[in-house]
Structures are given as structure tokens and as C-alpha cells.
Amino acid sequence: MDQKKKVRLGIIGYGNMGTGHTKYMMAGESPEIDLVAIADLREERREVARADTAGSVKIMSSGDELIGSGLCDAVLIAVPHYDHPPFAIKAFDKGLHVMCEKPAGVYTKQVREMNKAAKEHPDLAFGMMFNTRTNSVYIKMRELVAGGSLGAIKRVNWIITSWYRTQSYYDSGAWRATWDGEGGGVLLNQCPHNLDLIQWICGMPTAVRAFCHNGKWHDIEVEDDVTAYLEYANGATGVFVTTTADAPGTDRFEVTLDRGKLVCEDSKLILYKLDISEREFCKTAKGGFDKPPMTVSEVETDGLYPQHKAVMNAFAGRILRGEALVADGSEGLNGLTLSNAMHLSSWLDKKIDIPFDEDLFLSELTRRRETSRAKKSVTATTFDSSKSYQ
């Protein structure tokens, strides 16, 4: 593609996320993207899209119409989760580049089909909207863990209970917080970012044991409170705790390694660095209550966190010049694997090894979809989600 040419983008889905993406694009914050089309099944949202874009964008009534219109070079998929892979596959088949909102899908078998379609079109860019990877604190955290100077990981703890949601949030759409409409709760809606980051920084665990509480704090049928235990190949362990009902919530991510500990909290990264290996100190120290000497410091970063626009700008750079994506679309499988494993562990009341039986997961999910209850009271609402980004 000509380096001077903009990427003609279509957005499929004009809910919370589609609206948010449109705002920064219309403000010129993605200069190499030309928003040319928006599709939504609901006429009321199409009217809002017309107003938000002052009539400068083609408004369509379905994603299929947008994909087949010939107006776009790329699509951004921002619809309910089950529809992410089908729309991506259709877009690839039409020769369109794809940016997929999180999560990649609801179940891993479905996402593998999407990833297979992407591999069959290697000339097309495929990205995941993992905007939290643009946070300089997490970037530095990953660098320190991967760099090796702190040794092997021993323990991972993430308490992420700051995803607070009210009942009105869950009542804002018939699809929300149902097995048939959304496919899950806090793990599938809010925590794809955290599950992506924990594997991006620490690697994939080999097993999980999770306890998912459905509708514990809200009138919903899916999980809104989760505690999970993780096991890693090198013997390290971890705990992942999340809910949408704690106020005030906590967001504290700790990684303990042989030569120190990293603590990410309140947008700061603190490094507790041991002078020597803990394993060496444990075996050589003479005092039973001795502790290894260490230094404590705040890790410097550039302070940047450009969020969604950085993901989209990198996406445009990939299409126009072959530059790196923030997150390759195929990586969406990893965090979803953790989410599926946690659900399956809770459903079967046992530890689940990774990889797990994907057919078994799908059969268990299908059972829940078949008994999923229709919501009696829904007030269709689109919220300004910009303040919810973490």
C-alpha cells in the first residue's frame, strides 16, 4: 500500500467501544486512519453515529453490509463477543485487515478458527485491541521479568477488584452478563486485559484451580467474583482475584522472583531488589531469622499510556509500512485460554491442566447457553467508557 495513503476503516458495532474509538478518530488522533463507515444493527445507534460523525461517514445496518461494501481497507470489530471470530473470518475472506476488540471470542475452538483464517491471509494485518500493553509501567515490568537479572519467577499475585460495575451497567443490554449473549462475566468482559498481561509478562501457567461465583453481587447469571490459583512449569504459583463489586477496589500486581519483587500499584512500579539470590542466601545464611539485604526503588518509565489510539496507529503502521503491532491477533488465544480454563475448573470443581479439553469446555458452555434466561427488564444504554480504562 502507498505510504501516503490512509487506511480506510470501518467500525462494526456502535456501542460503548465503537463510540469511544470514533471520538479519537474524529478528533484526528489517528492521522493515518480515515473512518469511512460504521455499522450497527440498531437504528437508534445508527442515528447517534450519524450525529457523532456529522454525516461524514457512511452508516450501514449490518457488519456484513460493511464488509461487502468495498469502501474499507480494514475493519474494527466491536460487537458482542460471540460475533468477533465470524466477522473477522468474513473480513479476511474479503481481503480486509482486521482489528478485533477484546476478548478474541468466547471459546478457544472458535478463536482457533479465526486464527487459522488469519494465517491463510498472511498479507493482511490482524491485531487485538490489548490497549493496556501500551502502559509504560507494564512494558517496563515485562522488560525486567524477561531480562533475567531478577532470576526465575517464584510467585505471581494479582488482586484486580477495581472493575466496579453497577446493576444499571448489566441492565443496559439484553446480551450483557448472560451465557447465551456474552458467554461469561468479569473474566470475559473486564479481565481479558489482565489475563493477557499476566501471560504476556509471566508466561502461561500449566494448570488452574478456580472458584467462580455467579451472580453473587448482581442480578446476573454469570460470574462477578472469582478467585483462581495458578501453577507454572518451573514450580511457581500464583493467585488471581477479581470482582465487579468491590468499592473501593484494588489493583495490585506482584511478581516475586529469585532476586527480588516487582509491585505494580497506583500507576507506579516498585522494585525490591535483593543483593544476592534468595535461594543462595537461604542455603548460606547463618542466622535463622536473617533476611537478604535489598534496595527499594521506584522504576522510572516514560509515563506514557496512549491507550486505544496507539493500538490503532500501530495497526495503520502495519498496513502502510509493515511495522509492528501492539498485539498480534493470534495472541488473543492466550488470555482466553486462561479464562476458559478458570470457567471449566469452577464448573467441574477440579484443577484443569493447560491445554485442556476444548470440546468439553464447549459442551459445558452450550449447556449453560441452552438454559440462559432472557432478561425481563432492559434499559438500552450506551455509556461513556473512557473512564473505565485501566
Side-chain angles (χ1 to χ4, degrees):
M1 186 174 287
D2 187 337
Q3 291 189 12
K4 296 181 180 179
K5 183 179 178 181
K6 289 187 175 183
V7 175
R8 299 176 302 162
L9 180 76
I11 296 178
I12 303 175
Y14 205 64
N16 293 351
M17 296 312 304
T19 303
H21 289 299
T22 297
K23 286 181 179 179
Y24 66 77
M25 290 180 193
M26 294 301 294
E29 295 178 31
S30 289
E32 293 186 314
I33 293 176
D34 185 9
L35 180 58
V36 298
I38 295 173
D40 199 286
L41 295 174
R42 302 159 296 173
E43 174 57 27
E44 65 270 20
R45 293 309 303 164
R46 295 196 293 271
E47 285 298 322
V48 173
R50 290 185 185 98
D52 289 347
T53 59
S56 64
V57 171
K58 180 73 173 178
I59 307 300
M60 303 182 191
S61 60
S62 73
D64 288 344
E65 180 186 1
L66 186 150
I67 288 171
S69 69
L71 295 177
C72 306
D73 305 309
V75 295
L76 193 166
I77 300 169
V79 294
H81 313 328
Y82 280 106
D83 290 330
H84 289 183
F87 274 130
I89 292 169
K90 290 175 182 178
F92 289 134
D93 287 344
K94 287 292 185 179
L96 301 179
H97 307 279
V98 172
M99 174 59 67
C100 184
E101 262 291 352
K102 58 79 185 172
V106 176
Y107 52 96
T108 52
K109 282 197 72 173
Q110 181 190 42
V111 171
R112 289 188 191 281
E113 294 174 2
M114 176 173 67
N115 290 356
K116 179 175 180 290
K119 287 183 179 180
E120 291 170 354
H121 298 86
D123 55 323
L124 298 176
F126 177 33
M128 277 297 303
M129 185 52 69
F130 286 144
N131 49 287
T132 49
R133 289 196 188 188
T134 69
N135 188 331
S136 56
V137 173
Y138 293 128
I139 292 171
K140 181 59 71 173
M141 201 171 184
R142 184 172 188 260
E143 289 176 356
L144 288 169
V145 171
S149 63
L150 297 176
I153 294 175
K154 296 170 63 181
R155 187 177 306 281
V156 178
N157 294 315
W158 202 340
I159 302 176
I160 175 62
T161 59
S162 54
W163 291 115
Y164 186 74
R165 295 293 185 269
T166 63
Q167 186 63 42
S168 64
Y169 169 82
Y170 291 113
D171 293 342
S172 68
W175 66 281
R176 285 197 182 281
T178 64
W179 292 117
D180 194 44
E182 189 165 15
V186 62
L187 289 176
L188 205 63
N189 193 312
Q190 286 76 39
C191 285
H193 294 299
N194 311 105
L195 295 175
D196 171 63
L197 288 171
I198 204 169
Q199 66 83 29
W200 189 56
I201 293 170
C202 302
M204 286 288 288
T206 58
V208 303
R209 178 65 174 101
F211 301 87
C212 303
H213 301 272
N214 298 332
K216 184 176 183 179
W217 307 108
H218 304 86
D219 182 18
I220 58 175
E221 65 183 26
V222 295
E223 82 284 352
D224 59 1
D225 194 304
V226 177
T227 298
Y229 167 74
L230 315 175
E231 294 180 351
Y232 292 84
N234 72 338
T237 59
V239 176
F240 185 84
V241 177
T242 190
T243 183
T244 54
D246 281 9
T250 297
D251 184 357
R252 183 180 175 91
F253 183 16
E254 295 186 5
V255 181
T256 301
L257 306 100
D258 183 51
R259 294 288 298 260
K261 180 173 71 171
L262 293 165
V263 178
C264 179
E265 189 173 23
D266 297 328
S267 299
K268 297 179 180 179
L269 181 59
I270 306 300
L271 169 61
Y272 299 77
K273 188 171 184 179
L274 305 185
D275 290 354
I276 65 171
S277 157
E278 181 279 326
R279 291 289 76 201
E280 179 184 346
F281 183 84
C282 177
K283 295 172 184 177
T284 59
K286 302 304 181 185
F289 298 100
D290 290 351
K291 293 183 179 180
M294 66 177 179
T295 57
V296 182
S297 62
E298 181 177 348
V299 179
E300 283 192 31
T301 72
D302 58 20
L304 298 179
Y305 190 8
Q307 292 273 4
H308 303 78
K309 62 185 177 183
V311 177
M312 290 306 296
N313 292 343
F315 182 56
R318 176 60 161 263
I319 295 169
L320 297 173
R321 294 177 296 279
E323 296 173 356
L325 293 162
V326 170
D328 188 274
S330 63
E331 296 181 60
L333 182 66
N334 297 335
L336 185 64
T337 294
L338 293 179
S339 173
N340 282 183
M342 289 178 187
H343 274 133
L344 190 59
S345 173
S346 188
W347 294 342
L348 301 182
D349 194 23
K350 67 177 186 179
K351 184 171 75 172
I352 297 297
D353 292 329
I354 296 175
F356 55 85
D357 185 336
E358 295 181 341
D359 290 320
L360 176 60
F361 175 86
L362 182 55
S363 69
E364 290 289 331
L365 174 63
T366 300
R367 284 179 51 218
R368 286 157 178 80
R369 294 185 71 179
E370 290 171 347
T371 58
S372 186
R373 59 187 170 95
K375 291 187 177 181
K376 295 180 180 179
S377 178
V378 174
T379 303
T381 308
T382 299
F383 298 104
D384 178 0
S385 60
S386 61
K387 294 181 181 180
S388 73
Y389 306 150
Q390 297 185 24

